[in-house]
Amino acid sequence: MDWALSFDNREGVPEAIFEMECMICHAVSEACDNEGESSQLWALKHTGRHPDHRVFKLLTETFWRVDPMSGNPYAEATSRRSSSAGAPR
């Protein structure tokens, strides 16, 4: 059976979630959807408050999905399920 792994770009799914972690004290910035700028700003402010804390790790989450390709029996089952989902009962 053939499957396709792809970036999950469905509506409501963020492109990425970003956080910054201090490698000295392990404090972590707030998680932010789709932009890493606030995590970077957090790291700068953190170093401003703790001048010896200068090493950070960027934590990034992305979302992926696996879908059946044409010819895969699950592709037919998925299309039948989605077409019957809107049918009145």
Side-chain angles (χ1 to χ4, degrees):
M1 287 188 265
D2 291 329
W3 298 90
L5 175 66
S6 60
F7 184 71
D8 192 348
N9 60 0
R10 292 175 296 165
E11 187 175 331
V13 177
E15 289 181 30
I17 296 174
F18 299 96
E19 293 177 293
M20 194 72 77
E21 179 182 357
C22 174
M23 297 308 295
I24 305 302
C25 70
H26 302 286
V28 178
S29 70
E30 184 176 314
C32 295
D33 289 1
N34 301 328
E35 63 89 14
E37 208 172 292
S38 52
S39 297
Q40 294 170 23
L41 183 58
W42 177 88
L44 293 167
K45 288 180 178 180
H46 185 79
T47 297
R49 289 188 304 275
H50 310 282
D52 294 342
H53 297 204
R54 299 181 191 178
V55 182
F56 296 88
K57 174 172 56 174
L58 176 63
L59 308 169
T60 308
E61 292 181 40
T62 57
F63 300 88
W64 295 76
R65 59 181 289 124
V66 174
D67 291 304
M69 295 180 66
S70 179
N72 182 320
Y74 288 100
E76 295 171 16
T78 302
S79 66
R80 279 196 308 268
R81 209 173 321 133
S82 54
S83 65
S84 66
R89 295 182 179 189

Coordinates of all heavy atoms in Angstrom, one line a residue:
M1 N 0.8 -1.2 0.0 CA 0.0 0.0 0.0 C 0.9 1.2 0.0 O 1.9 1.3 0.7 CB -0.9 0.0 1.2 CG -2.0 -1.0 1.2 SD -3.2 -0.8 2.5 CE -2.5 -2.0 3.7
D2 N 0.5 2.2 -0.8 CA 1.2 3.5 -0.9 C 0.7 4.5 0.0 O -0.6 4.7 0.1 CB 1.3 4.0 -2.3 CG 2.1 3.1 -3.2 OD1 3.1 2.5 -2.7 OD2 1.8 3.0 -4.4
W3 N 1.5 5.2 0.7 CA 1.2 6.3 1.7 C 2.0 7.5 1.3 O 3.1 7.4 0.8 CB 1.4 5.9 3.1 CG 0.6 4.7 3.5 CD1 0.9 3.4 3.4 CD2 -0.7 4.7 4.1 NE1 -0.1 2.6 3.9 CE2 -1.1 3.4 4.4 CE3 -1.6 5.7 4.5 CZ2 -2.3 3.0 5.0 CZ3 -2.8 5.4 5.1 CH2 -3.1 4.1 5.3
A4 N 1.5 8.7 1.7 CA 2.2 9.9 1.5 C 2.4 10.7 2.8 O 1.4 10.9 3.5 CB 1.5 10.8 0.4
L5 N 3.6 11.0 3.1 CA 3.8 11.8 4.3 C 4.0 13.3 3.9 O 4.8 13.5 3.0 CB 5.1 11.4 5.0 CG 5.6 12.2 6.2 CD1 4.6 12.1 7.4 CD2 7.0 11.7 6.7
S6 N 3.2 14.2 4.5 CA 3.3 15.6 4.1 C 3.1 16.5 5.2 O 2.5 16.1 6.3 CB 2.3 15.9 2.9 OG 1.0 15.6 3.4
F7 N 3.5 17.7 5.1 CA 3.3 18.8 6.0 C 1.8 19.0 6.2 O 1.0 19.0 5.2 CB 3.9 20.1 5.5 CG 3.9 21.2 6.4 CD1 4.6 21.2 7.6 CD2 3.1 22.3 6.1 CE1 4.6 22.3 8.4 CE2 3.1 23.4 7.0 CZ 3.8 23.4 8.1
D8 N 1.3 19.1 7.4 CA -0.2 19.2 7.6 C -0.6 20.7 7.5 O -0.3 21.5 8.4 CB -0.5 18.7 9.0 CG -2.0 18.5 9.2 OD1 -2.8 19.0 8.4 OD2 -2.4 17.9 10.2
N9 N -1.2 21.0 6.4 CA -1.5 22.4 6.2 C -3.1 22.6 6.2 O -3.6 23.6 5.6 CB -1.0 22.9 4.8 CG -1.5 22.1 3.7 OD1 -2.2 21.1 3.8 ND2 -1.0 22.4 2.5
R10 N -3.7 21.8 6.9 CA -5.2 21.9 7.1 C -5.5 23.2 7.9 O -4.6 23.7 8.7 CB -5.8 20.7 7.8 CG -5.8 19.5 7.0 CD -6.3 18.3 7.8 NE -5.4 18.1 8.9 CZ -5.7 17.3 10.0 NH1 -6.9 16.7 10.1 NH2 -4.8 17.2 11.0
E11 N -6.6 23.8 7.7 CA -7.1 25.0 8.4 C -7.0 24.8 9.9 O -7.4 23.7 10.4 CB -8.5 25.4 8.0 CG -8.9 26.7 8.5 CD -10.3 27.1 8.0 OE1 -10.6 26.8 6.9 OE2 -10.9 27.9 8.7
G12 N -6.4 25.7 10.6 CA -6.3 25.7 12.0 C -5.1 25.0 12.6 O -4.8 25.1 13.8
V13 N -4.3 24.4 11.7 CA -3.1 23.7 12.1 C -1.9 24.7 11.9 O -1.7 25.2 10.8 CB -2.8 22.4 11.3 CG1 -1.4 21.8 11.7 CG2 -3.9 21.4 11.5
P14 N -1.2 25.1 13.0 CA -0.1 26.1 12.9 C 1.0 25.5 12.0 O 1.2 24.3 11.9 CB 0.3 26.3 14.3 CG -0.1 25.1 15.1 CD -1.3 24.6 14.4
E15 N 1.7 26.4 11.3 CA 2.8 26.0 10.5 C 3.9 25.5 11.4 O 4.6 24.5 11.1 CB 3.4 27.2 9.7 CG 2.5 27.6 8.5 CD 3.1 28.8 7.8 OE1 4.3 28.9 7.7 OE2 2.3 29.5 7.2
A16 N 4.1 26.1 12.6 CA 5.1 25.7 13.6 C 4.7 26.4 14.9 O 4.1 27.4 14.9 CB 6.5 26.1 13.1
I17 N 5.2 25.8 16.0 CA 5.2 26.3 17.3 C 6.6 26.5 17.8 O 7.4 25.6 17.7 CB 4.4 25.4 18.3 CG1 2.9 25.3 17.8 CG2 4.4 26.0 19.7 CD1 2.1 24.3 18.6
F18 N 6.9 27.7 18.3 CA 8.3 28.0 18.7 C 8.4 28.3 20.2 O 7.5 28.9 20.7 CB 8.8 29.3 17.9 CG 8.8 29.1 16.4 CD1 7.8 29.6 15.7 CD2 9.9 28.5 15.8 CE1 7.8 29.4 14.3 CE2 10.0 28.4 14.4 CZ 8.9 28.8 13.7
E19 N 9.5 27.8 20.8 CA 9.8 28.1 22.1 C 11.3 28.2 22.2 O 12.0 27.6 21.4 CB 9.4 27.0 23.1 CG 7.9 26.8 23.3 CD 7.6 25.6 24.2 OE1 7.9 24.5 23.8 OE2 7.0 25.9 25.3
M20 N 11.8 28.9 23.2 CA 13.3 29.0 23.4 C 13.6 28.6 24.8 O 12.9 28.9 25.7 CB 13.7 30.5 23.2 CG 15.2 30.7 23.1 SD 15.9 30.2 21.5 CE 15.4 31.5 20.5
E21 N 14.6 27.7 25.0 CA 15.0 27.2 26.3 C 16.4 27.7 26.6 O 17.3 27.5 25.8 CB 14.9 25.7 26.3 CG 15.4 25.1 27.6 CD 15.4 23.5 27.6 OE1 15.0 22.9 26.6 OE2 15.8 23.0 28.6
C22 N 16.5 28.2 27.8 CA 17.8 28.6 28.4 C 18.6 27.3 28.8 O 18.0 26.5 29.5 CB 17.7 29.5 29.6 SG 19.3 29.9 30.4
M23 N 19.8 27.1 28.3 CA 20.5 25.9 28.5 C 21.2 26.0 29.9 O 21.8 25.0 30.3 CB 21.5 25.6 27.4 CG 20.9 25.4 26.1 SD 19.6 24.1 26.1 CE 20.6 22.7 26.5
I24 N 21.2 27.1 30.6 CA 21.8 27.2 31.9 C 20.8 26.9 33.0 O 21.0 26.0 33.8 CB 22.3 28.7 32.1 CG1 23.3 29.1 31.0 CG2 23.0 28.8 33.5 CD1 24.5 28.2 30.8
C25 N 19.6 27.5 33.0 CA 18.6 27.3 34.0 C 17.4 26.5 33.5 O 16.5 26.2 34.3 CB 18.2 28.6 34.6 SG 17.2 29.6 33.5
H26 N 17.3 26.2 32.2 CA 16.2 25.5 31.6 C 14.9 26.2 31.6 O 13.8 25.5 31.5 CB 16.2 24.1 32.1 CG 17.5 23.3 31.9 ND1 17.9 22.9 30.7 CD2 18.5 23.0 32.8 CE1 19.1 22.3 30.8 NE2 19.5 22.4 32.1
A27 N 14.9 27.5 31.9 CA 13.6 28.3 31.7 C 13.2 28.2 30.2 O 14.1 28.2 29.4 CB 13.9 29.7 32.2
V28 N 11.9 28.2 30.0 CA 11.4 28.1 28.6 C 10.5 29.3 28.3 O 9.6 29.6 29.2 CB 10.7 26.8 28.4 CG1 10.2 26.7 27.0 CG2 11.7 25.6 28.7
S29 N 10.6 29.9 27.2 CA 9.7 31.0 26.8 C 8.3 30.4 26.5 O 8.1 29.2 26.5 CB 10.2 31.6 25.5 OG 10.0 30.7 24.4
E30 N 7.4 31.3 26.4 CA 6.0 30.9 26.1 C 6.0 30.4 24.6 O 6.7 30.9 23.8 CB 5.1 32.2 26.2 CG 3.7 31.9 25.9 CD 2.8 33.2 26.1 OE1 3.0 33.9 27.1 OE2 2.0 33.4 25.3
A31 N 5.2 29.4 24.4 CA 5.0 28.9 23.0 C 4.2 29.8 22.1 O 3.2 30.4 22.6 CB 4.3 27.5 23.1
C32 N 4.7 30.0 20.9 CA 4.1 31.0 20.0 C 3.8 30.3 18.7 O 4.8 29.6 18.1 CB 4.9 32.2 19.8 SG 5.1 33.2 21.2
D33 N 2.6 30.4 18.1 CA 2.3 29.8 16.8 C 2.8 30.7 15.7 O 2.6 31.9 15.7 CB 0.8 29.7 16.7 CG 0.2 28.6 17.5 OD1 0.9 28.0 18.3 OD2 -1.1 28.5 17.4
N34 N 3.5 30.1 14.7 CA 3.8 30.6 13.4 C 4.8 31.8 13.4 O 5.0 32.4 12.4 CB 2.5 31.1 12.7 CG 1.6 29.9 12.5 OD1 2.0 28.8 12.3 ND2 0.3 30.2 12.5
E35 N 5.4 32.1 14.5 CA 6.4 33.2 14.5 C 7.4 32.9 15.7 O 7.0 32.6 16.8 CB 5.8 34.6 14.6 CG 5.0 34.9 15.8 CD 5.8 35.5 16.9 OE1 7.0 35.9 16.7 OE2 5.3 35.6 18.0
G36 N 8.7 33.1 15.3 CA 9.7 32.8 16.3 C 10.3 34.1 16.9 O 11.1 34.0 17.8
E37 N 9.8 35.2 16.5 CA 10.3 36.5 17.0 C 10.2 36.7 18.5 O 11.1 37.2 19.1 CB 9.7 37.7 16.2 CG 10.5 38.9 16.1 CD 9.9 39.9 15.1 OE1 9.8 39.6 13.9 OE2 9.5 40.9 15.6
S38 N 9.0 36.4 19.0 CA 8.8 36.6 20.4 C 9.7 35.7 21.3 O 10.2 36.1 22.4 CB 7.4 36.5 20.8 OG 6.8 35.3 20.4
S39 N 10.0 34.5 20.8 CA 11.0 33.6 21.5 C 12.4 34.2 21.5 O 13.1 34.1 22.5 CB 11.0 32.2 20.8 OG 9.7 31.6 20.9
Q40 N 12.7 34.8 20.4 CA 14.1 35.4 20.3 C 14.1 36.6 21.3 O 15.1 36.8 22.0 CB 14.3 35.9 18.9 CG 14.5 34.7 17.9 CD 14.5 35.2 16.5 OE1 14.8 36.3 16.2 NE2 14.1 34.3 15.6
L41 N 13.1 37.4 21.3 CA 13.0 38.5 22.2 C 13.1 38.1 23.7 O 13.8 38.7 24.5 CB 11.7 39.3 22.0 CG 11.6 40.6 22.8 CD1 12.7 41.6 22.6 CD2 10.2 41.3 22.4
W42 N 12.4 37.0 24.0 CA 12.4 36.4 25.3 C 13.9 36.0 25.7 O 14.3 36.3 26.8 CB 11.6 35.1 25.4 CG 11.6 34.5 26.7 CD1 10.8 34.7 27.8 CD2 12.5 33.4 27.1 NE1 11.2 33.9 28.9 CE2 12.3 33.1 28.5 CE3 13.6 32.8 26.5 CZ2 13.0 32.2 29.2 CZ3 14.3 31.8 27.2 CH2 14.0 31.5 28.5
A43 N 14.6 35.4 24.8 CA 16.0 35.1 25.0 C 16.9 36.3 25.3 O 17.7 36.3 26.3 CB 16.6 34.3 23.9
L44 N 16.7 37.3 24.6 CA 17.4 38.6 24.8 C 17.1 39.2 26.2 O 18.0 39.6 26.9 CB 17.2 39.6 23.7 CG 17.7 39.2 22.3 CD1 17.1 40.1 21.3 CD2 19.2 39.3 22.3
K45 N 15.8 39.2 26.5 CA 15.4 39.7 27.8 C 15.9 38.8 29.0 O 16.3 39.3 30.0 CB 13.9 39.9 27.9 CG 13.4 41.0 27.1 CD 11.8 41.1 27.2 CE 11.3 42.2 26.4 NZ 9.8 42.3 26.4
H46 N 15.9 37.5 28.8 CA 16.4 36.6 29.8 C 17.9 36.8 30.0 O 18.3 36.9 31.2 CB 16.1 35.1 29.3 CG 16.5 34.1 30.3 ND1 15.6 33.8 31.4 CD2 17.6 33.3 30.5 CE1 16.2 32.9 32.1 NE2 17.4 32.5 31.6
T47 N 18.6 37.0 29.0 CA 20.1 37.3 29.2 C 20.3 38.6 29.9 O 21.2 38.8 30.7 CB 20.8 37.2 27.8 OG1 20.7 35.9 27.3 CG2 22.3 37.6 28.0
G48 N 19.4 39.6 29.6 CA 19.5 40.9 30.2 C 19.3 40.8 31.7 O 19.9 41.5 32.5
R49 N 18.4 39.9 32.1 CA 18.1 39.7 33.6 C 19.2 38.7 34.2 O 19.4 38.8 35.4 CB 16.7 39.1 33.8 CG 15.6 40.0 33.5 CD 14.2 39.5 33.9 NE 13.9 38.2 33.2 CZ 13.3 38.1 32.0 NH1 13.0 39.2 31.3 NH2 13.1 36.9 31.5
H50 N 19.8 37.9 33.4 CA 20.8 36.9 33.9 C 21.9 36.9 32.9 O 22.0 36.1 32.0 CB 20.1 35.5 33.9 CG 18.8 35.4 34.6 ND1 18.7 35.4 36.0 CD2 17.6 35.4 34.1 CE1 17.4 35.3 36.3 NE2 16.7 35.3 35.2
P51 N 22.9 37.8 33.1 CA 24.0 38.0 32.1 C 24.8 36.8 31.8 O 25.4 36.7 30.7 CB 24.8 39.2 32.7 CG 23.8 39.9 33.6 CD 22.9 38.9 34.1
D52 N 24.8 35.8 32.7 CA 25.6 34.6 32.4 C 24.8 33.6 31.6 O 25.4 32.6 31.2 CB 26.1 34.0 33.8 CG 27.0 34.8 34.5 OD1 27.6 35.8 33.9 OD2 27.2 34.6 35.7
H53 N 23.6 33.8 31.4 CA 22.7 32.9 30.6 C 22.7 33.3 29.2 O 21.9 34.1 28.7 CB 21.3 32.8 31.2 CG 21.2 32.4 32.6 ND1 20.1 31.8 33.1 CD2 22.1 32.3 33.6 CE1 20.3 31.5 34.4 NE2 21.5 31.8 34.7
R54 N 23.6 32.7 28.4 CA 23.8 33.2 27.0 C 23.6 32.0 26.0 O 23.9 32.3 24.8 CB 25.2 33.8 26.8 CG 25.4 35.0 27.7 CD 26.8 35.5 27.5 NE 27.1 36.5 28.5 CZ 28.3 37.1 28.6 NH1 29.2 36.9 27.7 NH2 28.5 38.0 29.6
V55 N 23.3 30.9 26.4 CA 23.2 29.7 25.5 C 21.7 29.2 25.5 O 21.2 28.9 26.6 CB 24.1 28.6 25.9 CG1 24.0 27.4 24.9 CG2 25.6 29.1 25.9
F56 N 21.1 29.1 24.3 CA 19.7 28.8 24.2 C 19.5 27.7 23.2 O 20.3 27.5 22.3 CB 18.9 30.0 23.8 CG 18.9 31.1 24.9 CD1 19.9 32.0 24.9 CD2 17.9 31.1 25.9 CE1 19.9 33.0 25.9 CE2 18.0 32.1 26.9 CZ 19.0 33.0 26.8
K57 N 18.4 27.0 23.3 CA 18.0 26.0 22.4 C 16.6 26.4 21.8 O 15.7 26.6 22.6 CB 18.0 24.6 23.0 CG 17.4 23.5 22.1 CD 17.6 22.1 22.7 CE 16.9 21.9 24.0 NZ 16.9 20.6 24.5
L58 N 16.5 26.4 20.5 CA 15.2 26.7 19.9 C 14.4 25.4 19.8 O 14.9 24.4 19.2 CB 15.4 27.3 18.5 CG 14.1 27.5 17.7 CD1 13.2 28.6 18.4 CD2 14.4 28.0 16.3
L59 N 13.2 25.4 20.4 CA 12.4 24.2 20.3 C 11.3 24.5 19.3 O 10.6 25.5 19.4 CB 11.7 23.9 21.7 CG 12.7 23.8 22.8 CD1 12.0 23.8 24.2 CD2 13.5 22.6 22.7
T60 N 11.2 23.7 18.2 CA 10.2 23.9 17.2 C 9.4 22.7 16.9 O 10.0 21.6 16.8 CB 11.0 24.3 15.9 OG1 11.9 25.3 16.1 CG2 10.0 24.7 14.8
E61 N 8.1 22.8 16.9 CA 7.2 21.7 16.6 C 6.5 22.0 15.2 O 6.1 23.1 15.0 CB 6.1 21.6 17.6 CG 6.6 21.2 19.0 CD 5.4 21.1 20.0 OE1 4.3 20.6 19.6 OE2 5.6 21.5 21.1
T62 N 6.5 21.0 14.4 CA 5.8 21.1 13.1 C 4.8 19.9 13.1 O 5.1 18.9 13.8 CB 6.7 21.1 11.9 OG1 7.5 20.0 11.9 CG2 7.6 22.4 11.9
F63 N 3.8 20.0 12.3 CA 2.8 19.0 12.2 C 2.8 18.3 10.8 O 2.8 19.0 9.8 CB 1.5 19.6 12.6 CG 1.5 20.2 13.9 CD1 1.9 21.5 14.1 CD2 1.1 19.4 15.0 CE1 1.9 22.0 15.4 CE2 1.2 19.9 16.3 CZ 1.6 21.3 16.5
W64 N 2.7 17.0 10.8 CA 2.8 16.2 9.6 C 1.6 15.2 9.7 O 1.1 14.9 10.7 CB 4.1 15.4 9.5 CG 5.2 16.4 9.4 CD1 5.8 17.1 10.4 CD2 6.0 16.7 8.2 NE1 6.8 17.9 9.9 CE2 6.9 17.6 8.5 CE3 5.8 16.2 6.9 CZ2 7.8 18.1 7.6 CZ3 6.7 16.7 6.0 CH2 7.7 17.7 6.3
R65 N 1.2 14.7 8.5 CA 0.2 13.7 8.4 C 0.5 12.7 7.3 O 1.3 13.0 6.4 CB -1.2 14.4 8.1 CG -1.2 15.2 6.9 CD -2.6 15.8 6.6 NE -3.6 14.9 6.3 CZ -4.8 14.7 6.9 NH1 -5.1 15.5 7.9 NH2 -5.6 13.8 6.6
V66 N -0.1 11.5 7.5 CA 0.1 10.5 6.5 C -1.3 10.2 5.8 O -2.3 10.1 6.5 CB 0.6 9.2 7.1 CG1 0.6 8.0 6.1 CG2 2.0 9.4 7.7
D67 N -1.3 10.3 4.5 CA -2.6 10.0 3.8 C -2.4 8.9 2.8 O -1.3 8.7 2.2 CB -3.0 11.3 3.0 CG -3.4 12.4 4.0 OD1 -4.3 12.2 4.8 OD2 -2.8 13.5 3.9
P68 N -3.5 8.1 2.5 CA -3.4 7.1 1.5 C -3.3 7.7 0.1 O -4.0 8.6 -0.2 CB -4.6 6.3 1.8 CG -5.6 7.2 2.4 CD -4.8 8.2 3.2
M69 N -2.5 7.1 -0.7 CA -2.3 7.5 -2.1 C -3.4 6.8 -2.9 O -4.0 5.8 -2.5 CB -0.9 7.3 -2.6 CG 0.1 8.2 -1.8 SD 1.8 7.9 -2.4 CE 1.7 8.5 -4.1
S70 N -3.5 7.3 -4.1 CA -4.4 6.7 -5.1 C -4.1 5.2 -5.3 O -2.9 4.9 -5.4 CB -4.3 7.4 -6.4 OG -5.2 6.8 -7.4
G71 N -5.1 4.3 -5.3 CA -4.8 2.9 -5.4 C -4.7 2.2 -4.0 O -4.9 1.0 -4.0
N72 N -4.5 2.9 -3.0 CA -4.5 2.4 -1.6 C -6.0 2.2 -1.2 O -6.8 3.1 -1.3 CB -3.8 3.4 -0.7 CG -3.7 2.8 0.7 OD1 -4.6 2.2 1.3 ND2 -2.6 3.1 1.4
P73 N -6.3 1.0 -0.7 CA -7.7 0.7 -0.3 C -8.3 1.7 0.7 O -9.5 2.0 0.7 CB -7.7 -0.7 0.2 CG -6.4 -1.3 -0.2 CD -5.5 -0.2 -0.5
Y74 N -7.4 2.3 1.5 CA -7.8 3.2 2.5 C -8.2 4.6 1.9 O -9.0 5.3 2.4 CB -6.7 3.5 3.6 CG -6.6 2.3 4.5 CD1 -5.5 1.4 4.3 CD2 -7.5 2.1 5.6 CE1 -5.4 0.3 5.2 CE2 -7.3 1.0 6.4 CZ -6.3 0.1 6.2 OH -6.2 -1.0 7.0
A75 N -7.7 4.9 0.7 CA -8.1 6.1 0.0 C -9.5 6.0 -0.4 O -10.3 7.0 -0.2 CB -7.2 6.3 -1.2
E76 N -9.9 4.9 -0.9 CA -11.4 4.7 -1.2 C -12.2 4.7 0.0 O -13.3 5.4 0.0 CB -11.5 3.4 -2.0 CG -10.8 3.4 -3.3 CD -10.8 2.0 -4.0 OE1 -11.6 1.1 -3.5 OE2 -10.0 1.8 -4.9
A77 N -11.8 4.1 1.1 CA -12.6 4.1 2.3 C -12.7 5.5 2.9 O -13.8 5.9 3.4 CB -12.0 3.2 3.4
T78 N -11.7 6.3 2.8 CA -11.7 7.7 3.3 C -12.6 8.5 2.5 O -13.4 9.3 3.0 CB -10.2 8.3 3.2 OG1 -9.4 7.5 4.0 CG2 -10.2 9.7 3.8
S79 N -12.6 8.4 1.1 CA -13.5 9.2 0.3 C -14.9 8.8 0.5 O -15.8 9.6 0.5 CB -13.1 9.1 -1.2 OG -13.3 7.8 -1.7
R80 N -15.2 7.5 0.7 CA -16.6 7.1 1.0 C -17.1 7.7 2.3 O -18.2 8.1 2.4 CB -16.7 5.6 1.0 CG -16.8 4.9 -0.3 CD -17.2 3.4 -0.2 NE -16.4 2.7 0.7 CZ -15.4 1.9 0.4 NH1 -14.9 1.9 -0.8 NH2 -14.7 1.2 1.4
R81 N -16.2 7.6 3.3 CA -16.6 8.2 4.6 C -16.9 9.7 4.6 O -17.8 10.1 5.1 CB -15.4 7.9 5.6 CG -15.9 7.7 7.0 CD -14.8 7.3 8.0 NE -13.9 6.3 7.4 CZ -12.6 6.4 7.5 NH1 -12.0 7.3 8.1 NH2 -11.8 5.4 7.0
S82 N -16.0 10.4 3.9 CA -16.2 11.9 3.8 C -17.4 12.2 3.0 O -18.1 13.2 3.2 CB -15.0 12.6 3.3 OG -14.5 12.1 2.1
S83 N -17.8 11.5 1.9 CA -18.9 11.8 1.1 C -20.2 11.4 1.9 O -21.2 12.0 1.7 CB -18.9 11.1 -0.2 OG -18.9 9.7 -0.1
S84 N -20.2 10.4 2.7 CA -21.4 10.0 3.5 C -21.5 10.8 4.7 O -22.6 10.9 5.3 CB -21.3 8.5 3.8 OG -20.3 8.2 4.7
A85 N -20.5 11.5 5.2 CA -20.6 12.3 6.4 C -21.6 13.4 6.2 O -22.2 13.8 7.2 CB -19.2 12.9 6.7
G86 N -21.7 14.0 5.0 CA -22.6 15.1 4.8 C -24.0 14.7 4.5 O -24.9 15.5 4.3
A87 N -24.3 13.4 4.3 CA -25.6 12.9 3.8 C -26.5 12.9 5.0 O -26.2 12.5 6.1 CB -25.4 11.5 3.3
P88 N -27.8 13.3 4.8 CA -28.8 13.2 5.9 C -29.1 11.8 6.3 O -29.0 10.9 5.5 CB -30.0 13.9 5.3 CG -29.8 13.9 3.8 CD -28.3 13.7 3.5
R89 N -29.4 11.6 7.5 CA -29.7 10.2 8.0 C -31.2 10.1 8.4 O -31.9 10.9 8.8 CB -28.9 9.9 9.3 CG -27.4 9.9 8.9 CD -26.6 9.6 10.1 NE -25.2 9.5 9.7 CZ -24.3 9.1 10.4 NH1 -24.5 8.7 11.6 NH2 -23.1 9.1 10.0

